Amino acid sequence: MKVLVCNVGSTSLKFKLFDMPGDVVLAEGKVERVGRTDAIFHYGNRGTGYTVQLEDQSILSYAEGIRRYLDCLTDPENGVIAHVSEIERVGFKTVLAKGFYGIHELTPEVLQAMEDYLIVAPAHNGPYLEAIRQIQQVLPGVKLVGVFETAFHTTIPKARRIYGIPYEWYEEYGIQRMGYHGASHGYIADVLTERNGGTGNAISCHLGGSGSLCAIQNGISVDNSFGFSLQTGLIHANRIGDTDAYIIPYLLAQGKSVDEITKGMDKQGGLLGISGVSNDLRDVQIAAEGGNERARLAIDAYCAGIIHYVGAYYAELGGLDHLVFTGGIGENSSLVREKVCSAVAHFGIVLDEQKNAQRSTQARIISAEHSKVKVWVIPANEELGIARRTYEYQ
Ligand code: ADP
């Protein structure tokens, strides 16, 4: 079965066409700066990498982006399929829909449920709704499946999901800890299972533009650091992470508007907010090395959040077999890995300094031979996770 996986950003669209089962990537594509006349379009077929890269293209909508990609897929020279009708399913890394937390066909009811939580996940649900509706028109009749980022976390026990709020807020509005990054943490559970025959007790640290930790026990999620919205848990690139709810009424009383407060929480917080330098950890690291105190503070606060959750999950799991780093920061920042692992060395974690410093795009163990806990770096592959779930969907 040919499964197209579609990852939608606020101004980007990424595709991978899989041949399932077998996990074979036939072709991939990416459109950056959707909505502009200077968009960048990439396309690559199996084995050749990005064979087509066109800059300064006018790609004004998601529909135009996908049409361009479908043209490449069926192109006699670079294409991999004869006709778009060979695509049987499209899988989306959708984020949140009220009452639909698993894997669902994207029916009008499910799209309405995404609309209902637009205010909770504005940066994600808005672009996804727009892209899904446009793709429905470009690929009529194809089954569209939403692998919601909450899906892997539906196994988290209710006692860990419930907030200490009036119970009717939970019943009426669905307010609870959701857990996100399910495609990434689910993929990590798959890799550990493939390599070790099971996950045992594992903590997966997805550290990218946004970050979360997931406690995994025997293959299933039993906790995740995200709460109701994606503004929670760890400090993110420019989103705030866990904070005190009473900051909001206090700031309102100081004369800040709701818009100013939401902008502060969504765009001006996180690594950017603390450091005042950048939302990209690479820039923050360079500034810290140059003696910038706020940049140092941002890195320490970022790592403190990770250490906090590793400790909490160690207690919840009753021990630890695997600690996994994934995502742009998890895969690339030996500094963050070192700071975290040295802080929790008393859990039986011994990092191999040389292995930690090495760069590789392969899944690898970076702990010392005698480390009780195995520490891994596993490159994120959310698309493969989505392709598998979309293919299996009944
Ligand atoms: P997203 O969550 O947006 O998909 P990624 O998982 O690709 O993003 O992570 C992006 C982040 O990874 C960047 O913002 C940057 O902070 C971080 N990053 C990438 N390479 C490095 C590196 N060599 N050192 C430190 N951080 C890095």
Side-chain angles (χ1 to χ4, degrees):
M1 181 195 288
K2 306 282 189 302
V3 175
L4 180 64
V5 171
C6 188
N7 194 342
V8 182
S10 55
T11 60
S12 70
L13 203 51
K14 289 184 209 154
F15 303 102
K16 270 190 188 176
L17 182 68
F18 286 85
D19 199 3
M20 301 297 287
D23 302 343
V24 180
V25 179
L26 297 173
E28 51 193 303
K30 183 161 89 173
V31 189
E32 293 171 273
R33 302 191 209 150
V34 175
R36 291 172 40 164
T37 51
D38 61 349
I40 306 169
F41 175 78
H42 313 250
Y43 169 82
N45 58 21
R46 191 180 175 194
T48 57
Y50 283 119
T51 48
V52 178
Q53 176 168 343
L54 301 168
E55 295 191 20
D56 293 328
Q57 295 290 295
S58 172
I59 300 182
L60 297 178
S61 64
Y62 293 114
E64 263 186 74
I66 187 166
R67 263 191 223 108
R68 192 73 63 90
Y69 179 66
L70 295 177
D71 287 348
C72 284
L73 284 182
T74 51
D75 177 68
E77 201 181 324
N78 283 313
V80 291
I81 52 175
H83 194 265
V84 290
S85 61
E86 287 180 46
I87 300 170
E88 285 184 55
R89 290 185 181 185
V90 184
F92 292 89
K93 190 166 76 90
T94 40
V95 173
L96 179 65
K98 188 174 181 212
F100 294 93
Y101 303 123
I103 301 164
H104 305 280
E105 186 169 356
L106 294 168
T107 59
E109 194 190 2
V110 175
L111 295 188
Q112 180 55 50
M114 288 174 68
E115 196 96 52
D116 292 343
Y117 272 162
L118 197 51
I119 199 163
V120 187
H124 300 87
N125 278 16
Y128 262 105
L129 281 163
E130 197 184 328
I132 290 164
R133 289 185 172 125
Q134 292 185 15
I135 288 168
Q136 270 173 336
Q137 288 170 10
V138 178
L139 287 170
V142 174
K143 188 179 258 189
L144 308 186
V145 178
V147 181
F148 284 86
E149 284 284 71
T150 46
F152 184 61
H153 303 299
T154 50
T155 46
I156 297 176
K158 191 167 174 185
R160 288 186 189 146
R161 295 180 155 278
I162 199 85
Y163 285 116
I165 53 174
Y167 200 72
E168 55 273 22
W169 296 1
Y170 161 68
E171 289 180 313
E172 194 166 334
Y173 307 115
I175 297 173
Q176 60 187 304
R177 291 192 183 88
M178 297 288 181
Y180 296 98
H181 287 155
S184 175
H185 295 304
Y187 173 73
I188 296 302
D190 283 354
V191 174
L192 289 179
T193 304
E194 282 158 17
R195 302 246 175 155
N196 303 289
T199 63
N201 289 332
I203 298 175
S204 164
C205 310
H206 178 104
L207 310 174
S210 61
S212 77
L213 263 67
C214 181
I216 300 171
Q217 193 154 50
N218 301 326
I220 62 168
S221 169
V222 293
D223 213 344
N224 179 258
S225 57
F226 270 122
F228 181 53
S229 75
L230 292 110
Q231 270 60 257
T232 49
L234 300 180
I235 288 170
H236 308 281
N238 43 7
R239 303 207 297 264
I240 52 170
D242 278 345
T243 186
D244 179 334
Y246 261 62
I247 291 172
I248 297 165
Y250 175 73
L251 287 176
L252 285 169
Q254 301 311 302
K256 293 252 187 232
S257 69
V258 172
D259 275 356
E260 280 174 304
I261 298 172
T262 10
K263 195 170 162 207
M265 296 194 298
D266 284 355
K267 299 197 166 69
Q268 298 165 336
L271 286 173
L272 172 67
I274 300 176
S275 70
V277 173
S278 168
N279 62 0
D280 188 317
L281 185 71
R282 286 167 286 204
D283 302 331
V284 181
Q285 281 183 197
I286 292 167
E289 280 158 20
N292 183 319
E293 280 305 321
R294 274 179 58 186
R296 274 190 202 154
L297 178 64
I299 296 169
D300 287 345
Y302 182 73
C303 292
I306 303 167
I307 295 158
H308 170 87
Y309 279 103
V310 170
Y313 293 168
Y314 184 91
E316 287 177 9
L317 291 166
L320 189 60
D321 301 307
H322 305 282
L323 177 65
V324 182
F325 291 92
T326 187
I329 294 174
E331 290 162 36
N332 294 300
S333 179
S334 51
L335 176 76
V336 167
R337 295 192 301 253
E338 199 277 321
K339 276 178 177 281
V340 171
C341 289
S342 61
V344 290
H346 54 295
F347 292 168
I349 296 177
V350 187
L351 210 55
D352 181 316
E353 273 179 42
Q354 251 185 337
K355 288 183 185 161
N356 184 41
Q358 273 162 12
R359 296 190 144 269
S360 165
T361 52
Q362 302 298 313
R364 64 195 195 277
I365 293 175
I366 57 165
S367 45
E369 287 287 326
H370 61 285
S371 179
K372 222 171 88 195
V373 177
K374 283 199 175 84
V375 183
W376 297 74
V377 176
I378 301 180
N381 195 345
E382 292 162 300
E383 287 87 359
L384 179 54
I386 304 282
R388 286 176 178 170
R389 309 291 96 87
T390 302
Y391 170 70
E392 290 156 6
Y393 179 73
Q394 301 281 341

